[in-house]
């Protein structure tokens, strides 16, 4: 990878998103079980790591920011950062002290936002962000950048993406946080949009994730119907999923459509 296009190497190490996998299942005539597919993707990443752990660790060390490098948006630097961050993501799959220390060190020493956010993302995925390092990093990031709303959107996105049994309750609490404003489209996209990308939480078998998001779409009907229309789109894929997800998602669509004075933008979907 060091002798070629590092950005291309990073892309080749990427695993498909849930949306891509669902679409692929649909094209082949099958129905998607989101929780099983999420587990399959994680197993695939684990297998890649298990077969290449030494190489991944060595390449991660090799692609660290060179001493005295001035941050620039050049193909070489963009490629190096992309590959470096992708490799850290794989190391994070280990969820051990090496992974935690590597991510925290990158977070603390990064001279650019790309690598700092990537490190925080990896920390958020280790032990459901319940490590001292993750908590410290999240607090440090917020306190340092709370005056920059665009950067705080990243903080909200990562918080909403934390996979844990209480992920839904965590997002509900974040809706009362000073960083969130349901009247601000960017905040809604950052927090609620990211929650919908949290497969285990949004697609929870008890349907709680669907019910929560339907509540927010109904709430947005009187605040920002356009945002509500954007958030309803994942529900419209209901017929691509296995049970009980399909019936649960369709049921929430029907509940949304029963909302009094439902905005045309939401209703048209």
């Amino acid at each position: 990878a060091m002798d070629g296009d590092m950005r291309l190497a990073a892309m080749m190490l990427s695993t498909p998103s849930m949306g891509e996998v669902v679409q692929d299942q649909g094209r082949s005539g099958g129905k998607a079980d989101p929780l099983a597919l999420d587990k399959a993707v994680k197993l695939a990443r684990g297998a890649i790591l298990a077969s290449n752990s030494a190489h991944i660790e060595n390449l991660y060390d090799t692609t660290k920011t060179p001493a005295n490098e001035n941050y620039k948006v050049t193909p070489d630097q963009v490629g190096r950062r992309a590959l470096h961050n992708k490799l850290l993501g794989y190391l994070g799959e280990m969820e051990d002290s090496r992974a935690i220390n590597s991510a925290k060190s990158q977070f603390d020493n990064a001279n650019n936002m790309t690598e700092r956010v990537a490190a925080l993302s990896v920390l958020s995925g280790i032990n459901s962000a319940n490590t001292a390092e993750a908590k410290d990093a999240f607090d440090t990031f917020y306190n340092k950048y709370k005056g920059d709303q665009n950067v705080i959107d990243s903080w909200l996105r990562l918080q909403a993406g934390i996979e844990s049994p209480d992920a839904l309750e965590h997002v509900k609490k974040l809706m009362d946080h000073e960083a969130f404003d349901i009247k601000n489209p960017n905040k809604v996209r950052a927090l609620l949009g990211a929650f919908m990308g949290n497969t285990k939480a949004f697609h929870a078998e008890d349907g709680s994730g669907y019910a929560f998001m339907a509540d927010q779409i109904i709430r947005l009907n009187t605040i920002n119907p356009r945002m509500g229309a954007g958030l309803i789109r994942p529900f419209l894929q209901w017929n691509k999923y296995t049970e009980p997800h399909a019936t649960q998602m369709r049921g929430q669509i029907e509940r949304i459509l029963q909302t009094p004075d439902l905005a045309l933008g939401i209703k048209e979907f």
Side-chain angles (χ1 to χ4, degrees), residues 25 40 71 104 115 146 162 166 209 240-241 250 261:
Q25 287 280 98
Y71 176 82
K104 188 58 164 62
E115 292 185 320
K146 60 184 177 182
I162 295 172
D166 63 348
K240 291 183 169 63
Y241 290 97
R250 183 173 180 178
D261 301 317

Side-chain angles (χ1 to χ4, degrees), residues 160 167-175 180 182 191-193 195-196 201-202 207-219 231 235 252 255-256:
L168 177 55
E169 292 306 312
H170 183 55
V171 169
K172 287 180 179 178
K173 289 179 182 177
L174 285 169
M175 292 187 71
F180 182 75
I182 198 168
L191 185 64
L192 299 181
F195 174 78
M196 297 182 90
F202 178 56
S208 57
Y210 304 144
F212 168 71
M213 284 308 307
D215 288 342
Q216 306 318 310
I217 292 168
I218 291 170
R219 183 180 176 188
L231 293 174
F235 283 93
Q252 295 302 331
R255 182 163 74 89
I256 292 168

Side-chain angles (χ1 to χ4, degrees), residues 13 44-59 87 90-91 94:
L13 284 171
R45 288 179 60 83
I48 292 171
L49 175 64
S51 301
N52 303 278
S53 59
H55 185 54
I56 287 174
E57 288 187 37
N58 179 63
L59 196 53
L87 294 165
Y90 274 95
L91 292 178
M94 294 190 211

Side-chain angles (χ1 to χ4, degrees), residues 136-176:
D136 177 71
F138 267 111
D139 289 345
T140 298
F141 190 90
Y142 184 78
N143 290 328
K144 185 172 183 178
Y145 300 110
K146 60 184 177 182
D148 188 328
Q149 293 307 304
N150 290 330
V151 176
I152 291 303
D153 287 347
S154 295
W155 184 86
L156 286 170
R157 275 192 293 272
L158 292 177
Q159 290 273 5
I162 295 172
E163 294 186 352
S164 70
D166 63 348
L168 177 55
E169 292 306 312
H170 183 55
V171 169
K172 287 180 179 178
K173 289 179 182 177
L174 285 169
M175 292 187 71
D176 293 325

Side-chain angles (χ1 to χ4, degrees), residues 214 217-218 221 232 236 238 249-269:
I217 292 168
I218 291 170
N221 181 59
I232 202 174
L236 304 182
W238 67 268
M249 295 176 85
R250 183 173 180 178
Q252 295 302 331
I253 293 174
E254 292 172 351
R255 182 163 74 89
I256 292 168
L257 291 176
Q258 292 171 3
T259 304
D261 301 317
L262 187 65
L264 185 62
I266 298 177
K267 194 181 297 183
E268 283 181 343
F269 279 96

